[in-house]
Amino acid sequence: MRRDGAVAALWLVAGALLCAGPARADVVVGVAVPRTGPIAGIGEQVLLGVQAAARDVNARGGIAGEPIVLDVQDDACDPGQAVAAAERFVKAGVRLIVGHVCSSASLAASDVYAAAGAVMISPASNAARLTDRGLPTIFRVSGREDDQGRLSATILAERFRDKKIAILSDDTPLSRNLADSTKANLNKIGQNEALFAAIAPGQTDDAALIKRLQAAGIDVVYYGGHYQEMGRLVRKAAEQGYRPQWFGTSGIATKEFGVLAGPASDGVLMTFNPDLRRKPEAAAAVKAFQAEGVDPDGFTLYGYAALQALAEAGNFAKSTDPKAIAETLHAERFNLVLGNVGFDQKGDVTAPGYVLYVWRDGAFGYAN
């Protein structure tokens, strides 16, 4: 089955759950992801994972004996829309949420959830401030930006010590924070970048930027933003005969980057969370996805893990109460597709952080 067919099949499952209505279940789980806007591709990955996890959890009896009903909201990776979605959930009495994806959206919405005592578990947001505030009901199954920045700086220093490095960011929190963290850690190691610059997504003159990089003799371009901007830059630079070593982040962990960059994506480096498809604990979930014609790449299994964690905590506590689930998430360890993990007092998952990947033939895999 092609991916679009698989998506339709999973939506039939989700639709059946939604049509059943909350009256048939005590457990409504809100799902807040970007279904429109600049990173809808990553939102699709997360949603597929959540839908599959809901199906599997319900097959085993749901949470504390009650089946899950999904309430899906689109936040478009926008803080204002994220707050609106959070307020809709809270008004409807939804107190268990998987989301959001973008750090800016998660930061804005998390205040609403925390005030209402709702549990939010993000599958993808890596802003350190999300959990550093110590909000007791806010969690994530993905890594932190400061960990990603440290790894990026180490790789740059070890592999490209004698090269001219440019560090680029855009005006999103993800990009700014990753670029700042990478720069700070690189400088701490004793290596300075040749160029540190911010660009405006969708408004930057690509030709002028590429010319600037070329004129500065840049050998390595680190970009802390999302796949649309970087994919376009990589492709256009190659078309102009400029092929530096490109280095991206978790913001390009979707096959759409390979489509946008085309053959020029070959050799692009990227830091991202560990590939859960390789985890033995994820084997059953991966097999089920593959039977539907879906490759659960990128953030798909992180969406699965987020809902799985809520269900495991609820079943351990024998409760659907958000306070009990939050306390259990902080206190216990769980067998998830991530492995056997827990959550620290900040709400960060105890799973390993980030890994170096390389793009080949429109897909990404572990780098040597």
Side-chain angles (χ1 to χ4, degrees):
M1 183 184 296
R2 294 188 302 113
R3 186 180 180 93
D4 54 355
V7 171
L10 283 173
W11 265 111
L12 287 175
V13 175
L17 289 170
L18 289 167
C19 291
R24 288 186 56 200
D26 292 333
V27 188
V28 181
V29 175
V31 184
V33 295
R35 306 204 62 214
T36 57
I39 65 163
I42 292 177
E44 179 193 339
Q45 291 177 349
V46 171
L47 185 55
L48 281 172
V50 175
Q51 291 168 343
R55 175 197 63 206
D56 293 346
V57 169
N58 282 342
R60 292 190 289 270
I63 301 178
E66 299 290 349
I68 294 170
V69 173
L70 300 180
D71 181 351
V72 181
Q73 299 286 336
D74 176 18
D75 68 13
C77 191
D78 175 75
Q81 293 189 54
V83 168
E87 290 174 342
R88 284 195 293 270
F89 285 144
V90 169
K91 184 177 180 180
V94 178
R95 294 296 185 271
L96 301 176
I97 294 92
V98 173
H100 298 235
V101 170
C102 292
S103 289
S104 58
S106 286
L107 285 165
S110 61
D111 290 330
V112 177
Y113 300 133
V119 176
M120 168 192 141
I121 183 161
S122 173
S125 297
N126 61 17
R129 195 162 73 85
L130 180 63
T131 51
D132 281 353
R133 294 169 298 165
L135 300 176
T137 62
I138 306 302
F139 301 84
R140 67 171 135 219
V141 293
S142 59
R144 292 168 54 100
E145 67 195 4
D146 42 4
D147 291 336
Q148 190 168 186
R150 276 190 289 271
L151 176 60
S152 298
T154 299
I155 292 165
L156 287 170
E158 290 179 350
R159 297 189 176 215
F160 308 108
R161 179 165 295 279
D162 298 322
K163 303 295 184 179
K164 286 190 175 183
I165 298 169
I167 298 177
L168 303 181
S169 65
D170 60 36
D171 62 357
T172 64
L174 166 77
S175 185
R176 287 196 307 270
N177 294 342
L178 283 173
D180 288 345
S181 177
T182 299
K183 172 180 166 58
N185 283 286
L186 184 65
N187 296 165
K188 190 182 298 183
I189 292 171
Q191 185 169 349
N192 293 320
E193 70 284 355
L195 177 66
F196 186 81
I199 67 174
Q203 302 174 25
T204 299
D205 183 338
D206 294 329
L209 175 60
I210 292 166
K211 186 176 180 179
R212 182 183 179 188
L213 294 169
Q214 285 180 296
I218 299 299
D219 303 299
V220 182
V221 182
Y222 173 91
Y223 181 67
H226 288 112
Y227 62 89
Q228 297 92 333
E229 299 296 325
M230 188 168 180
R232 192 185 66 244
L233 280 171
V234 169
R235 186 188 74 250
K236 290 190 174 182
E239 289 171 352
Q240 295 181 31
Y242 178 50
R243 293 180 177 273
Q245 173 61 64
W246 293 93
F247 191 162
T249 71
S250 52
I252 68 168
T254 173
K255 289 178 179 176
E256 280 83 351
F257 169 75
V259 172
L260 288 169
S265 66
D266 281 1
V268 172
L269 297 175
M270 174 187 80
T271 49
F272 183 49
N273 300 305
D275 186 351
L276 299 186
R277 293 173 298 181
R278 298 185 174 210
K279 301 283 289 187
E281 296 88 347
V286 170
K287 184 177 180 180
F289 274 114
Q290 291 174 339
E292 295 290 339
V294 175
D295 177 13
D297 60 344
F299 286 98
T300 305
L301 288 167
Y302 286 88
Y304 190 105
L307 182 63
Q308 189 183 28
L310 289 175
E312 290 294 316
N315 285 325
F316 185 95
K318 296 180 174 60
S319 173
T320 61
D321 177 68
K323 182 179 180 181
I325 287 177
E327 290 174 350
T328 303
L329 285 169
H330 281 298
E332 305 297 335
R333 295 184 68 86
F334 310 95
N335 291 316
L336 310 180
V337 291
L338 296 164
N340 183 261
V341 300
F343 295 86
D344 64 21
Q345 287 307 302
K346 288 183 176 182
D348 289 322
V349 72
T350 60
Y354 289 91
V355 179
L356 180 65
Y357 291 81
V358 64
W359 280 83
R360 298 288 182 199
D361 299 323
F364 55 89
Y366 286 162
N368 295 324

